[in-house]
Amino acid sequence: MLTLYDFARAPSPRRARVFLAEKGIRHETVIVDLARGEQLGDAYRAINPLCTVPALRLDDGTVLTDNAGIHAYIEAAYPQPPLLGETAAEKAAIASWNARVENDGLLAVAEALRNSAPAMAGRALTGPVDYDQIPELAARGLARFGNFLTMLDGHLAGRDFIATDRFSLADISAYIAIDFARVIRIRPGDAHTHLRRWQSSIASRPSMAL
């Protein structure tokens, strides 16, 4: 059985968790307590030298150490329902929008949080190397995420999903980015009518309760 290395409060492993749930794939879970720094300990470094979650151990012992690899493997091994697209055009649209969500959404929140939270002093970036916080990057992250919400609201006018006419990885990534932005105290407002409609619809999916 597959084993997912997970931490409930972090957005990155949640993306893998939701992806597996949407595919209906049973798996074992091992919690890596990021709050206690378990990802930096020798035991977990031996599993994932990147010191990040998620990681996914396959039946043959291979460990996939990031979401990109996990999503690609699961989609190829379990193609239904398709979350990365079926046609060439769908695959391109989902890959493009997911990259945009990661860069302008998830990374903007991370930039704002990790460069301002006292608990993350000296840990401004994930991984095995310590980096100092840069307060200016926190301010930039807040601005970037605000612009991301405005952009996405406009894009979702008349649309049910972000990338294609069906639910995809781009919707998973965007929903989790927006939900996690509570840590920087930014939420879609009254002006984001299309975004809030989409958010409410996506929230009704059972996988999003995980």
Side-chain angles (χ1 to χ4, degrees):
M1 182 178 290
L2 301 176
T3 300
L4 179 68
Y5 295 86
D6 195 355
F7 184 64
R9 301 201 304 268
S12 289
R14 187 182 179 193
R15 292 171 67 201
R17 197 162 64 243
V18 169
F19 199 90
L20 290 166
E22 287 285 340
K23 293 284 190 177
I25 300 171
R26 295 177 60 246
H27 61 85
E28 296 180 346
T29 297
V30 174
I31 299 301
V32 180
D33 193 335
L34 304 186
R36 295 186 177 184
E38 287 185 0
Q39 76 278 20
L40 301 173
D42 291 341
Y44 189 66
R45 283 177 187 258
I47 295 167
N48 182 3
L50 297 178
C51 301
T52 56
V53 290
L56 185 70
R57 186 186 295 277
L58 308 183
D59 293 337
D60 66 0
T62 299
V63 177
L64 306 177
T65 58
D66 55 54
N67 266 315
I70 292 170
H71 296 154
Y73 174 85
I74 293 300
E75 183 83 352
Y78 306 89
Q80 295 300 323
L83 296 175
L84 301 185
E86 289 186 304
T87 68
E90 286 179 347
K91 290 176 186 291
I94 292 168
S96 180
W97 271 104
N98 191 63
R100 189 169 185 181
V101 168
E102 288 181 337
N103 184 66
D104 297 341
L106 283 162
L107 290 182
V109 176
E111 194 172 67
L113 175 66
R114 298 189 74 93
N115 285 285
S116 63
M120 293 185 175
R123 294 291 303 160
L125 293 174
T126 60
V129 179
D130 293 338
Y131 290 97
D132 290 336
Q133 292 174 324
I134 302 175
E136 292 81 2
L137 291 182
R140 188 180 74 177
L142 292 172
R144 290 179 62 208
F145 193 74
N147 290 330
F148 171 74
L149 293 182
T150 299
M151 177 279 297
L152 196 56
D153 179 70
H155 173 70
L156 284 167
R159 299 181 61 92
D160 293 327
F161 303 106
I162 289 175
T164 67
D165 61 358
R166 72 179 75 155
F167 181 80
S168 76
L169 175 60
D171 297 289
I172 295 174
S173 297
Y175 181 88
I176 290 173
I178 293 166
D179 191 47
F180 188 64
R182 66 186 182 277
V183 300
I184 58 171
R185 297 180 175 84
I186 295 181
R187 295 182 180 275
D190 292 341
H192 302 114
T193 55
H194 308 298
L195 180 55
R196 292 177 68 182
R197 168 188 50 78
W198 166 88
Q199 187 180 25
S200 177
S201 174
I202 299 300
S204 68
R205 302 180 75 90
S207 65
M208 291 303 171
L210 298 177

